[in-house]
Amino acid sequence: MRHRTILFITIFIVLLVTLILFLRQEKVSSDKDYNDEMMDVTGPGTDTVSYGMYEPEGKLLDTLDIGFIKNNQINKVLSFSHYIDADRKYTLLLLANFKQIEFSADNHMPAKSYTFEMTKDQVITLQIKATLPKDVAEIAFIIVPEAKYHLKDNDIEIATGLQENYIMRYITKKASSNKFGSELHPTYKTDELTGEEIFMASGKMSNKVLYTSKSQMPVYLQLYNNGKEKMNYALVAFSENNQQKFNGKHVMYVSVENEKTNVYKIKLPKVKKENNFQIIAFPAPFDNSTKFEEVNFRGYSSIRTLIQP
């Protein structure tokens, strides 16, 4: 009888532990544990999206703080709410020190991008795992709407609707030791041209949207700093899901004086088939000081240009 009692207790403990592990696993994938909603701002009927990055147990990550890292490994949860009256595909990218790296989303095999589709008023959570470089000072998650949509007509409403990428930036403890200098010098400096933080055009002083361009053509990138202080930027370029070199580098660091526009001459990449091209400017890279707290969590995206062979 004593042996049966011990066996029963052992089986009960095993079942209890199994149940606890199951419930903990369920918590990671349960939408209700990750709430990034804003009352009277987001929700059904608001034509908005909302998103946030969390620790697995449900703690929302503070802006600019990546939270827990162990042996260069991160394990986070992305909550994403799509309150738009249309189906839409989104592509998730991850940058470490502004260079694209592989990650695993929703228990899929590691890859440099992950695409998911959302329907009206849908809310999802995705478990995100990644191995970060040892020297990483800043990481950025980028969510691109309809990354492979090719705009065939010069429709400014659609172009600006797809211009914005949803960006979350986080600083690590190694950020303060990351130093850089301006690597791309402007061909021209002027005052405000378009009012856009970042703008691509075919001419040095043009304010006409560059909807399409031929492969490897020279174009002009306008970068406008509307702040009261000189601003550093990290510039990265993407061709749909993939980071592209421009002017020979994956990342370009530049500086723009306050209330000025710098114009840079760049060369578009070579393509074998039509591809979207977009440049993102990250203000105040690696800087978590209060001086730039209004911009150092942002990223400014140019209107997409469709590159043709």
Side-chain angles (χ1 to χ4, degrees):
M1 188 70 177
R2 178 184 175 87
H3 292 296
R4 288 184 181 179
T5 303
I6 293 173
L7 179 61
F8 174 80
I9 293 173
T10 302
I11 292 173
F12 176 79
I13 292 172
V14 170
L15 290 174
L16 181 61
V17 171
T18 303
L19 178 62
I20 292 171
L21 290 174
F22 175 78
L23 291 175
R24 288 187 66 184
Q25 178 63 32
E26 284 296 297
K27 186 175 182 180
V28 171
S29 59
S30 174
D31 296 343
K32 64 183 179 181
D33 294 315
Y34 311 100
N35 183 8
D36 48 271
E37 304 300 336
M38 298 175 63
M39 189 175 294
D40 299 326
V41 177
T42 63
T46 58
D47 198 32
T48 62
V49 299
S50 60
Y51 50 92
M53 194 66 66
Y54 296 79
E55 298 287 11
E57 71 273 10
K59 179 185 176 182
L60 177 66
L61 296 183
D62 292 333
T63 302
L64 296 174
D65 182 4
I66 189 53
F68 184 69
I69 302 176
K70 183 177 181 180
N71 298 326
N72 298 317
Q73 306 281 326
I74 59 168
N75 179 16
K76 310 296 177 185
V77 177
L78 168 67
S79 172
F80 192 85
S81 305
H82 174 84
Y83 297 118
I84 297 175
D85 191 14
D87 296 350
R88 181 173 287 179
K89 289 183 178 179
Y90 295 93
T91 298
L92 177 65
L93 311 171
L94 174 58
L95 304 184
N97 289 352
F98 305 105
K99 294 180 181 178
Q100 190 175 13
I101 65 170
E102 288 189 343
F103 62 95
S104 172
D106 203 25
N107 294 318
H108 285 72
M109 291 294 291
K112 286 193 173 182
S113 66
Y114 179 77
T115 298
F116 55 98
E117 189 166 2
M118 302 289 287
T119 57
K120 178 183 176 181
D121 296 339
Q122 185 180 2
V123 178
I124 67 167
T125 56
L126 297 174
Q127 189 170 17
I128 309 296
K129 296 181 179 181
T131 301
L132 303 178
K134 291 181 179 181
D135 63 342
V136 66
E138 179 172 339
I139 70 172
F141 293 94
I142 305 173
I143 303 172
V144 185
E146 296 290 352
K148 294 191 175 184
Y149 180 84
H150 292 175
L151 183 61
K152 299 295 184 180
D153 302 315
N154 294 354
D155 189 321
I156 188 63
E157 186 174 341
I158 296 177
T160 53
L162 295 174
Q163 176 182 4
E164 181 185 3
N165 298 310
Y166 308 118
I167 294 173
M168 293 167 282
R169 295 171 60 185
Y170 301 99
I171 295 287
T172 73
K173 294 179 180 179
K174 299 178 182 179
S176 59
S177 62
N178 202 290
K179 306 296 182 182
F180 59 90
S182 185
E183 298 176 320
L184 186 62
H185 299 288
T187 57
Y188 189 74
K189 294 183 179 182
T190 184
D191 296 324
E192 179 184 342
L193 285 175
T194 64
E196 295 280 334
E197 287 86 358
I198 185 168
F199 190 82
M200 267 197 302
S202 58
K204 184 168 61 174
M205 296 290 290
S206 176
N207 60 2
K208 185 178 179 181
V209 175
L210 186 67
Y211 291 103
T212 61
S213 183
K214 289 293 184 181
S215 174
Q216 295 187 294
M217 287 293 291
V219 299
Y220 291 89
L221 178 70
Q222 302 171 12
L223 198 59
Y224 173 51
N225 173 17
N226 63 359
K228 301 298 183 182
E229 301 281 346
K230 180 180 179 180
M231 185 66 66
N232 296 321
Y233 297 86
L235 303 179
V236 299
F238 283 91
S239 180
E240 300 187 0
N241 294 353
N242 299 305
Q243 187 173 12
Q244 295 286 327
K245 287 183 178 181
F246 68 105
N247 288 31
K249 293 190 176 183
H250 282 107
V251 188
M252 285 286 187
Y253 296 102
V254 299
S255 297
V256 183
E257 297 294 335
N258 58 299
E259 300 180 336
K260 295 293 182 181
T261 298
N262 283 7
V263 182
Y264 303 93
K265 187 176 182 180
I266 65 173
K267 187 178 181 181
L268 295 177
K270 182 179 181 179
V271 297
K272 295 182 178 179
K273 60 181 182 179
E274 288 186 336
N275 266 303
N276 288 324
F277 182 78
Q278 187 177 41
I279 293 180
I280 303 176
F282 294 92
F286 313 116
D287 193 332
N288 59 359
S289 65
T290 56
K291 183 178 181 181
F292 296 116
E293 63 184 359
E294 294 185 3
V295 296
N296 57 8
F297 62 94
R298 300 179 183 274
Y300 304 119
S301 303
S302 67
I303 292 177
R304 300 177 192 175
T305 296
L306 184 62
I307 304 178
Q308 300 168 332

